[in-house]
Amino acid sequence: MRLVALLMLVLLLVACAEKDEAVETMPGTTPEPLATSEAQIDPVTGFKMTGDWELVRGNCTACHSAKLITQQRGTAAQWLAMIRWMQKKQNLWQFDPGTEGRIIAYLAENYPPDAARRRAAIPPELMPPNPYSSSN
């Protein structure tokens, strides 16, 4: 199944590369840069195609979907905490410091905290008792 998915990804990337054609310009002129305020979005992963996005794709989508990443938000410290949790609880491999720094920088820059996305945590005194807790 993974081989089929990998083959489909390769075919999609080849098809996308074939669509990229040179921009024709008048002799003696240079093409104007495209005015984009947002980075292009990778059609396969949904990642913003800027900076080290391919490094993130290669390391993060090996274990889970890209959607799990793009729906998250965090500061560099929060992304690092998520990586540490995955390393401790989910058997994520250790990164060399340079790779880890580049991954965190990409994530923090492109998927930063957004106050409008998450509600505040429910205060403990408003939480119902946990029926599975051994301290009850």
Side-chain angles (χ1 to χ4, degrees):
M1 186 68 173
R2 287 187 181 193
L3 182 59
V4 172
L6 180 60
L7 181 59
M8 291 177 65
L9 176 61
V10 169
L11 291 174
L12 179 63
L13 292 174
V14 169
C16 290
E18 289 175 355
K19 289 182 181 180
D20 291 338
E21 297 175 1
V23 177
E24 292 185 30
T25 60
M26 297 290 292
T29 64
T30 57
E32 293 183 29
L34 297 175
T36 58
S37 59
E38 293 289 322
Q40 288 185 319
I41 303 297
D42 176 42
V44 175
T45 62
F47 288 158
K48 294 179 182 180
M49 295 171 59
T50 182
D52 287 312
W53 76 276
E54 292 171 305
L55 181 67
V56 173
R57 177 187 64 190
N59 282 282
C60 300
T61 61
C63 297
H64 52 73
S65 76
K67 187 69 170 173
L68 189 61
I69 298 162
T70 60
Q71 70 188 9
Q72 300 297 315
R73 295 290 185 267
T75 62
Q78 290 167 327
W79 284 110
L80 177 60
M82 284 186 247
I83 288 173
R84 292 293 181 261
W85 176 83
M86 288 183 280
Q87 288 170 331
K88 183 177 180 182
K89 300 291 187 178
Q90 305 296 318
N91 205 27
L92 174 63
W93 56 87
Q94 294 292 317
F95 297 110
D96 66 82
T99 299
E100 184 173 81
R102 291 169 55 200
I103 290 172
I104 291 169
Y106 171 85
L107 294 170
E109 181 179 329
N110 292 287
Y111 304 100
D114 183 1
R117 289 188 57 112
R118 292 191 172 183
R119 63 170 174 75
I122 298 173
E125 65 272 7
L126 296 179
M127 294 292 291
N130 182 349
Y132 305 106
S133 174
S134 59
S135 64
N136 289 340

